[in-house]
Amino acid sequence: MAVSSPFGASIKRREDPRLITGAGHYTDDVRLPGMLSMAILRSPHAHARITNIDSSAAKAMPGVVAIYTGADLVDKVAPVPCAWQPKDSDVKVPEYRPLAVDTVRYVGDGVAAVVAEDMYTAQDAAAAIDVTYEALPAVVKQLDAMADGAPQLYDNVPNNIAFHFHLEGGEVDAAFKNADLTFKQRLINQRLIPNAMEPRGAVASYQRGSNELTLWCTTQNPHIVRLLMSLSTSIPESQIRVISQDIGGGFGCKIPMYAGEMIASVISKDLLRPIKWVEDRSENYVATTHGRDHVDDVEVAVMNDGRVVGLKVTAYANMGAYLSTAGPGVPTWLFTVTQSGAYDIPNVASDVYGILTNTMATDAYRGAGRPEATYLIERVMDLVAAKLKLDPTDVRRKNFIPSNAFPYSIASGAVAYDSGDYDKTLDRALEMVDYAALRKEQEEARANGRLFGVGFSTYIEVCGLAPSAAAGAMGFGGGLYENAVVRVHPTGKVTVLTGINPQGQGEGTTFAQLVSDEIGVAVEDVDVVWGDTDRIPMGWGTYGSRSTAVGGSALVFAARNVRDKMMKIGAHLLEVSPEEVVFERGDVHVNGAPDRVKTFGEIALAAYTAWNMPEGVTPGLEETYFFDPISNTFPFGAHICVVEIDKDSGKADVRRYVAVDDVGNVINPMIVDGQIHGGIAQGLAQAVLEYAAYDDNGQLLSGTMMDYAIPKASSFPDYELDRTVTPCPFNPMGLKGVGEAGTIASTPAIMNAIVDALSPYGVEHFDMPATPQRIWQFVHEQKGN
Amino acid sequence: MKQQVTITVNGTTHTSEVEPRLLLVHYLRDVLDLTGTHVGCDTSQCGACTVQMNGDAVKSCTVLAVQADGAEITTIEGLAKDGELHPIQEGFWEMHGLQCGFCTPGMIMTSVNLLKNNPNPTEAEIRHGLEGNLCRCTGYQNIVKAIQYAADKMNAEPAAAGDD
Amino acid sequence: MYPSAFDYFRPSSVDEVVKLLQENPEGKIIAGGHSLLPMMKLRLAAPASLIDIGKVPGLDGVRADNGGVVFGARTTYDQIMKSDVVQRALPVAAEAAGVVGDIQVRNRGTIGGSIAHADPAADFPAVLLALDAKVNATGPNGQRTIGIDDFFVDMFTTSLEPEELVTEISVAKPAAKTGMAYEKFSHPASGYAIVGVAASVTLGDDGNVAAARVAITGAGPIAVRANGTESALTGQAPTAENVKAAAQKASDGMTFLGDIHAGEEYRAHLTRVFTERAINKAVERAKS
């Protein structure tokens, strides 16, 4: 498709032709000669000592090749690493082994690995292993786990408190003393299961002779897995190749390095056979990281005019039975730097406790810390409105950071928001719903006894992670720059290598658009490659809505260097100086004389035959760029949700959903809208459908898709989208990132609507999940029946 | 004890010896190397494994290969004819009806059945018709658009878009 | 995800099925398999053998019979939905079939399988109770007919003998001025009935309720008739108030199941709500 500028065009995706014809290549599609199947036997107890493992019957089964227990692996592989440990937070990292050695600490904890000719046999054998356990008391909720007398998961983590993080700015105590009104609220942000449609897995193939490990893995960040695997095994980093190309969704749960791939890798090294391990869904539910799980206590100091002058937050984050790769960073830095949201609140103090319990570990899940923060601050705004009898939009506007105040430094100074115009998105959203008419409709509905609610979410979020120095200061064990290689081939085609690693976000298309925009090559002639650590320089993967803001920037700068080199070579071939030529849609021509031109193809070939190169210019036409952002980016927007609750069943139906988002400049509007659609669905689902429920014994009650309800096509109506564009000043494309914004925004929008719908009963707050039963229970109790 | 099965998949007839417990989805993926059909769950909810069996959309994870003996199966690999995409495949491409692509083959195969039953579905009928196919990426909005695109195209071409 | 191993038989006649059931007491019949296979994949069930009745002749098809309908046991929900016979004579069955599971499940799940498996949250047990169906079964002692009221015994347990196979389900022609409806509150994850109520209401010439059959599934361990509601309604004018009052009795004496989505009290409440909805709809249809 010939467009004058690909940037901003809703071009059809280049990834799609193979995916719509069944030619995708996901990890479970990998087949290697001699490949064996691995099954992991998992603990049925939440907390127990392993007193005996008898695998004799299993070993004797035909087709069973080997069985490994935790004891067998102690010398082969290190404990599962935690790579984000916030400083000054008294972080205590428990020793968590890929296969439990003497103690299991959650239902799903791995106890043995069975290797067999096929997966059916491996499962039969796993079922035949006889493990004797001595059950121990389990603790599941964070507040219970930190209390004295609670079962202790690890000797070196007293009271199960793995860290205590503090961030503050301004004069918080004074603010509370001088406020007109102060109030408290406890908010629950319940545990969720990410549910990427592709379960996790790995194929590990260790080669005898070369001593190289090739690891196909469902990961959002192959280089991180390579690095951590080398640190956890005796295999040097330079001899590990991690491949992760087609991935069926990630949403954060494919960031960590897990036991499964570690076990498969060392077993492959031991047996010198390729080993495939792929979870099934109920295994995914107990052994892939969960999201959220906060109990947050907020104290608010507010003036009578609605201005919030102080916030104190104490957050109790359930980390699960061990600290996952990025786990501790989520409820600490990511949560606290967005604590004050879109608002100018000069006095903020946050305390975060990370508590271990006998449940699956938690880590990033779409939004990672920002949904928790946004839910909190957006509920606070509505609580302020309720208590002061002000309109919720007026309270928000009263507190908005003004559009001339950017870059805006938050109270603690930890981050500065890049750019924003919060009134603008709210204005547009209110216009789209016709706010006055909507409130009138609500009045009429209420007069007829209907439960009709309107909820707002004027959110910001922090993404485009991140300046590496800031990452280091925050305890992240790596950098967060990104790399790109723009390689022009002698025949004029272009390959882009990128360290980002999409799981459906569309960079295969948008990055081709960027390159096309910069150097004029047709989008169809650009091949974007990710997910192979042998081909791609060190990068940090796709999460934190960073791929385009950071990875795209690296790409643009690399492409511009290619363009500059092309101009030099072109000028030389045209026998003029570089200042006399212009670069136009891939061709280099003499300024003012377009017929004196060297085409993209001619220059590419010339660069590689090198028969006639300018002084000081080396052969070839390939540029690598490592881009380290100097700032995070801050998308923002206004979402409005209209709900009606059926009194008989308690079911809250979304009648209308309007989203006005500002993600800066947009490369491909269709793809950006798609990210927002998917994000909104997940955020709404947290509010009314999803809950990873453990019982008091640590059994996961919502253990299959029969019980854990993710949205279906019939769950929610169409979302009405619009956008404003407030460019980010800190990257060449002026864009902010969009992968998580929808989820961050939507949970508070619908919860505020539900509380609004129930407000005739005098309720100011209602916890998630707002399932039909819970809403009905509440309404029923109000009626006093 | 293994059973002999003869199953026609995408027009090619295969005869194999399989264990009775082998699920059809594993037969397609592991015996025939047709990996376009995916496994997303273990309780028959997600629909990523949907194929056409004798003209009907079925969840191949909930069919034994032995139950498919003598059947005609069409998988996603067999939907496009002579390199020409089925209008539903086209619709998914045009309307950005997929992101990670994992649910997509099953989603497309169910959509074929949906439009066969109801060539002119309303939005509500489409949304209800897809209750057996879960997608975590798209929020479904563009999937609905993709099917509407396909329905329009198929209704405008009376003799096109073959059987299945 | 991976069932344990089993012996597999594919009989070609009903007699052969019965013989195999006798020879394999640990064996289970499989038709559509959409109740059995999910349990086997989670290894909650591990039958030693499966008897596949997929190719046994005489078990499929829907036919009209003196104004009523006879369903072959192996008739799928999709076939029920699409059957002209059913749409004319027993539209509630087509309607109920349309809310079972999803398109793919409806292509495989069978009416015989549904009642033989007796999942407490299946839809058709309630529908057939409301329709006063008769179940034909064949076993070593030949054929017999079981009235639907005597069919469901306990969770996953019916009055079928271990060696019997359901062959047909028949529903007699409904009386004149009969309206039927099935109202369901679906589980948000599984799609099964948290509560499903089927109602069949026959109006007399005086416009009052001459007969009513109301059945509830999902709420308790088996599908049951709402006897209290039926008594309260019979002989009454089918006004909104009377229906509401009768519906209040639907939960009387019932044992309720509970899970994280719906506890006992909520199910009891939904039972009453959906009974009222089902009866009102049935009444509306009886009048037209």
Side-chain angles (χ1 to χ4, degrees):
Chain A
M1 174 187 170
V3 282
S4 52
S5 168
F7 194 114
S10 287
I11 296 177
K12 280 182 348 189
R13 288 197 341 164
R14 307 194 59 238
E15 295 89 322
D16 290 358
R18 70 171 195 281
L19 298 175
I20 57 179
T21 54
H25 196 66
Y26 300 86
T27 298
D28 193 22
D29 301 339
V30 174
R31 275 137 185 53
L32 298 173
M35 191 171 78
L36 296 171
S37 295
M38 183 177 100
I40 297 177
L41 176 67
R42 298 185 180 279
S43 167
H45 297 285
H47 198 191
R49 278 204 217 299
I50 301 168
T51 53
N52 192 48
I53 302 179
D54 179 2
S55 47
S56 50
K59 275 205 184 104
M61 294 169 84
V64 174
V65 171
I67 298 182
Y68 294 80
T69 63
D72 298 324
L73 296 186
V74 166
D75 296 326
K76 294 184 164 54
V77 62
V80 178
C82 173
W84 194 348
Q85 300 177 27
K87 300 180 184 193
D88 303 319
S89 301
D90 202 17
V91 178
K92 299 181 175 70
V93 182
E95 182 183 287
Y96 173 68
R97 294 238 161 230
L99 283 181
V101 179
D102 43 48
T103 309
V104 289
R105 294 183 175 86
Y106 62 102
V107 168
D109 204 352
V111 170
V114 177
V115 181
E117 298 289 342
D118 65 270
M119 204 50 179
Y120 285 77
T121 305
Q123 294 285 345
D124 288 345
I129 298 176
D130 191 9
V131 183
T132 318
Y133 296 97
E134 181 202 308
L136 297 169
V139 65
V140 168
K141 296 192 165 65
Q142 53 267 59
L143 297 182
D144 294 338
M146 63 188 294
D148 287 329
Q152 297 297 291
L153 271 76
Y154 300 91
D155 291 334
N156 68 325
V157 189
N159 290 102
N160 299 311
I161 298 175
F163 55 82
H164 172 200
F165 174 92
H166 182 79
L167 183 70
E168 97 168 70
E171 305 288 332
V172 180
D173 289 334
F176 273 79
K177 251 199 224 91
N178 299 324
D180 291 334
L181 170 71
T182 65
F183 64 90
K184 291 182 185 181
Q185 182 66 55
R186 169 164 284 187
L187 298 125
I188 308 295
N189 202 298
Q190 85 277 27
R191 179 180 283 245
L192 303 175
I193 298 177
N195 267 293
M197 288 319 297
E198 176 202 35
R200 291 190 325 100
V203 177
S205 180
Y206 190 90
Q207 285 296 115
R208 187 170 66 92
S210 66
N211 293 326
E212 286 177 341
L213 170 70
T214 304
L215 177 67
W216 284 262
C217 185
T218 52
T219 175
Q220 299 175 223
N221 30 261
H223 291 87
I224 293 181
V225 170
R226 179 188 190 217
L227 178 57
L228 293 177
M229 192 68 78
S230 72
L231 297 173
S232 307
T233 64
S234 55
I235 311 168
E237 190 187 2
S238 50
Q239 284 167 273
I240 298 176
R241 177 183 185 188
V242 181
I243 300 174
S244 183
Q245 293 176 315
D246 283 334
I247 308 160
F251 312 112
C253 73
K254 292 177 180 170
I255 294 172
M257 185 170 78
Y258 290 84
E261 44 269 35
M262 295 168 77
I263 297 166
S265 295
V266 296
I267 290 179
S268 180
K269 182 172 179 216
D270 199 41
L271 297 179
L272 296 175
R273 298 276 297 269
I275 305 291
K276 173 184 275 191
W277 167 74
V278 177
E279 312 175 299
D280 55 31
R281 181 59 60 181
S282 30
E283 193 180 358
N284 167 274
Y285 272 20
V286 290
T288 285
T289 48
H290 294 167
R292 319 265 191 272
D293 205 342
H294 277 218
V295 175
D296 294 334
D297 287 333
V298 63
E299 288 180 64
V300 184
V302 63
M303 307 309 280
N304 285 328
D305 64 355
R307 235 177 342 118
V308 175
V309 294
L311 270 186
K312 268 192 263 195
V313 175
T314 309
Y316 303 95
N318 191 336
M319 304 311 294
Y322 68 94
L323 295 181
S324 174
T325 306
V330 174
T332 55
W333 285 109
L334 296 177
F335 173 66
T336 58
V337 299
T338 46
Q339 205 90 96
S340 45
Y343 313 107
D344 183 14
I345 304 175
N347 310 292
V348 181
S350 310
D351 275 278
V352 182
Y353 294 89
I355 300 149
L356 300 175
T357 67
N358 295 113
T359 60
M360 178 53 196
T362 55
D363 203 318
Y365 168 54
R366 202 165 194 172
R370 291 96 78 208
E372 296 89 316
T374 306
Y375 175 65
L376 187 149
I377 192 64
E378 289 302 299
R379 284 296 305 125
V380 163
M381 287 301 152
D382 266 29
L383 285 163
V384 168
K387 289 178 195 295
L388 296 179
K389 307 225 186 322
L390 298 170
D391 183 280
T393 61
D394 291 336
V395 171
R396 286 170 164 82
R397 289 194 200 276
K398 194 95 211 168
N399 287 284
F400 274 163
I401 298 162
S403 57
N404 61 2
F406 294 88
Y408 170 84
S409 213
I410 61 171
S412 62
V415 297
Y417 298 178
D418 59 357
S419 64
D421 190 341
Y422 305 145
D423 277 303
K424 199 154 157 215
T425 48
L426 179 56
D427 288 341
R428 178 65 190 133
L430 291 171
E431 184 183 39
M432 285 169 75
V433 294
D434 191 348
Y435 188 45
L438 187 58
R439 285 295 187 195
K440 194 144 178 295
E441 192 186 343
Q442 180 178 46
E443 257 178 65
E444 285 161 16
R446 281 184 172 158
N448 289 321
R450 287 161 53 204
L451 299 175
F452 187 105
V454 180
F456 298 90
S457 172
T458 49
Y459 73 97
I460 61 100
E461 81 112 335
V462 61
C463 63
L465 307 182
S468 297
M474 292 180 179
F476 185 72
L480 280 172
Y481 55 85
E482 208 30 82
N483 83 77
V485 176
V486 176
R487 175 176 301 153
V488 181
H489 296 278
T491 52
K493 303 277 194 239
V494 176
T495 298
V496 167
L497 306 179
T498 173
I500 60 108
N501 216 78
Q503 321 96 44
Q505 294 92 329
E507 280 81 2
T509 304
T510 55
F511 276 20
Q513 289 176 261
L514 278 180
V515 169
S516 175
D517 207 51
E518 290 294 330
I519 66 174
V521 61
V523 170
E524 307 77 70
D525 288 341
V526 180
D527 204 18
V528 182
V529 176
W530 65 79
D532 184 343
T533 60
D534 260 15
R535 290 178 74 175
I536 297 163
M538 187 67 195
W540 296 92
T542 289
Y543 42 76
S545 305
R546 67 187 299 270
S547 299
T548 313
V550 189
S553 296
L555 177 57
V556 165
F557 287 123
R560 287 179 184 175
N561 286 346
V562 165
R563 179 199 60 197
D564 290 347
K565 187 167 183 179
M566 292 185 82
M567 287 175 76
K568 289 197 182 114
I569 297 172
H572 182 73
L573 295 175
L574 289 166
E575 296 173 344
V576 298
S577 71
E579 297 75 44
E580 293 175 74
V581 295
V582 290
F583 188 92
E584 199 175 327
R585 288 203 225 115
D587 300 336
V588 173
H589 69 82
V590 174
N591 199 357
D595 51 312
R596 289 180 63 196
V597 60
K598 285 293 166 193
T599 65
F600 188 96
E602 286 173 319
I603 298 176
L605 191 57
Y608 282 95
T609 51
W611 294 329
N612 180 11
M613 296 295 276
E615 186 79 39
V617 176
T618 52
L621 192 53
E622 164 177 330
E623 296 292 330
T624 301
Y625 199 97
F626 282 78
F627 174 78
D628 201 352
I630 56 172
S631 169
N632 296 307
T633 61
F634 295 82
F636 60 94
H639 287 211
I640 303 179
C641 183
V642 180
V643 297
E644 181 150 3
I645 297 174
D646 172 36
K647 277 181 179 163
D648 280 336
S649 66
K651 190 155 177 287
D653 279 322
V654 175
R655 285 262 170 278
R656 225 182 140 186
Y657 196 93
V658 160
V660 180
D661 298 286
D662 193 318
V663 296
N665 287 319
V666 166
I667 301 172
N668 186 320
M670 183 178 74
I671 287 180
V672 166
D673 285 352
Q675 291 302 301
I676 297 175
H677 293 159
I680 291 172
Q682 283 180 268
L684 295 180
Q686 168 164 21
V688 295
L689 283 173
E690 298 185 28
Y691 177 28
Y694 280 94
D695 72 11
D696 291 334
N697 297 317
Q699 296 296 321
L700 183 62
L701 298 173
S702 48
T704 72
M705 280 185 156
M706 295 274 288
D707 288 293
Y708 189 91
I710 71 170
K712 302 184 202 223
S714 52
S715 297
F716 304 119
D718 267 5
Y719 313 117
E720 300 163 58
L721 306 189
D722 201 352
R723 62 173 54 92
T724 62
V725 177
T726 308
C728 168
F730 299 118
N731 59 58
M733 304 138 317
L735 58 75
K736 294 177 183 257
V738 68
E740 294 158 287
T743 301
I744 292 164
S746 60
T747 305
I750 187 176
M751 285 313 297
N752 283 339
I754 287 171
V755 174
D756 187 46
L758 296 173
S759 59
Y761 296 106
V763 66
E764 281 184 352
H765 183 69
F766 195 88
D767 270 325
M768 304 191 283
T771 58
Q773 175 173 232
R774 292 192 63 248
I775 291 179
W776 172 77
Q777 199 90 47
F778 168 78
V779 172
H780 181 65
E781 277 156 19
Q782 305 312 301
K783 287 182 180 161
N785 279 346
Chain B
M1 210 179 80
K2 290 206 171 179
Q3 300 278 322
Q4 191 182 82
V5 292
T6 299
I7 308 179
T8 303
V9 183
N10 299 333
T12 303
T13 304
H14 304 267
T15 301
S16 323
E17 299 270 312
V18 301
E19 274 195 66
R21 61 172 170 165
L22 182 71
L23 302 176
L24 178 60
V25 66
H26 292 143
Y27 175 74
L28 296 169
R29 289 180 54 78
D30 298 330
V31 176
L32 300 186
D33 271 324
L34 293 168
T35 56
T37 304
H38 300 143
V39 175
C41 79
D42 48 11
T43 49
S44 314
Q45 254 73 46
C46 82
C49 65
T50 305
V51 300
Q52 295 274 314
M53 184 158 122
N54 296 331
D56 291 329
V58 301
K59 293 179 178 178
S60 64
C61 72
T62 318
V63 177
L64 299 168
V66 290
Q67 290 181 290
D69 187 22
E72 284 198 23
I73 309 278
T74 307
T75 70
I76 187 68
E77 291 95 334
L79 193 58
K81 296 274 190 275
D82 302 318
E84 215 181 287
L85 293 176
H86 189 285
I88 293 174
Q89 288 169 305
E90 219 182 280
F92 273 76
W93 194 12
E94 289 290 333
M95 294 292 136
H96 188 35
L98 64 148
Q99 292 179 21
C100 81
F102 198 77
C103 78
T104 307
M107 194 68 78
I108 289 175
M109 299 313 286
T110 296
S111 305
V112 173
N113 206 153
L114 195 164
L115 289 181
K116 190 171 83 158
N117 285 348
N118 188 353
N120 252 311
T122 61
E123 184 192 324
E125 285 167 341
I126 293 175
R127 286 180 178 276
H128 280 290
L130 295 178
E131 278 168 349
N133 290 81
L134 298 175
C135 171
R136 200 51 160 163
C137 292
T138 66
Y140 301 102
Q141 188 150 329
N142 286 347
I143 292 178
V144 173
K145 287 213 183 85
I147 294 169
Q148 287 169 331
Y149 173 101
D152 288 343
K153 181 151 196 216
M154 287 162 76
N155 292 326
E157 302 165 6
D163 301 329
D164 343 57
Chain C
M1 187 63 198
Y2 303 88
S4 41
F6 50 84
D7 290 327
Y8 176 77
F9 303 101
R10 194 187 298 151
S12 43
S13 70
V14 172
D15 287 342
E16 211 185 320
V17 173
V18 174
K19 186 158 151 295
L20 284 166
L21 285 168
Q22 289 175 290
E23 289 165 2
N24 296 278
E26 303 295 312
K28 294 282 285 175
I29 288 173
I30 184 168
H34 273 49
S35 300
L36 184 57
L37 285 176
M39 291 178 76
M40 290 173 67
K41 284 157 65 180
L42 292 177
R43 299 201 175 197
L44 296 173
S49 56
L50 287 192
I51 299 157
D52 183 353
I53 60 167
K55 303 270 200 304
V56 173
L59 295 179
D60 47 21
V62 180
R63 63 176 199 279
D65 184 37
N66 285 327
V69 181
V70 178
F71 301 89
R74 215 177 51 223
T75 311
T76 65
Y77 299 114
D78 183 65
Q79 287 165 341
I80 293 173
M81 280 172 77
K82 290 175 174 161
S83 157
D84 287 331
V85 168
V86 175
Q87 285 170 17
R88 267 196 312 271
L90 290 175
V92 72
E95 204 175 72
V99 298
V100 173
D102 49 60
I103 286 179
Q104 301 96 307
V105 168
R106 295 193 283 271
N107 282 330
R108 295 291 293 167
T110 65
I111 188 173
S114 174
I115 63 167
H117 186 72
D119 190 309
D123 301 290
F124 263 73
V127 175
L128 294 173
L129 276 171
L131 294 178
D132 197 13
K134 307 242 179 298
V135 180
N136 285 354
T138 301
N141 302 323
Q143 287 193 47
R144 66 177 178 125
T145 302
I146 309 169
I148 196 76
D149 286 332
D150 300 321
F151 190 80
F152 300 106
V153 169
D154 205 342
M155 202 151 46
F156 301 110
T157 315
T158 68
S159 57
L160 285 174
E161 297 297 332
E163 293 137 10
E164 280 183 312
L165 163 73
V166 175
T167 53
E168 271 182 354
I169 297 156
S170 59
V171 177
K173 178 179 177 171
K177 289 223 199 79
T178 299
M180 304 169 186
Y182 179 63
E183 293 287 314
K184 175 180 181 180
F185 188 73
S186 296
H187 192 289
S190 72
Y192 276 86
I194 284 183
V195 169
V197 181
S200 171
V201 175
T202 305
L203 300 179
D205 292 325
D206 59 358
N208 290 344
V209 175
R213 287 180 70 99
V214 179
I216 299 155
T217 187
I222 62 168
V224 290
R225 300 260 301 280
N227 297 309
T229 295
E230 292 173 359
S231 312
L233 204 53
T234 310
Q236 301 294 313
T239 61
E241 300 76 37
N242 287 344
V243 169
K244 193 182 194 72
Q248 296 320 295
K249 296 189 184 307
S251 50
D252 290 350
M254 273 187 73
T255 314
F256 289 97
L257 299 173
D259 70 3
I260 50 177
H261 291 274
E264 296 170 24
E265 198 193 348
Y266 184 54
R267 277 183 209 248
H269 165 74
L270 289 177
T271 297
R272 297 186 287 269
V273 168
F274 281 82
T275 297
E276 188 181 345
R277 289 186 189 180
I279 296 173
N280 277 327
K281 204 177 231 170
V283 164
E284 204 183 295
R285 289 171 174 175
K287 286 178 179 167
S288 61

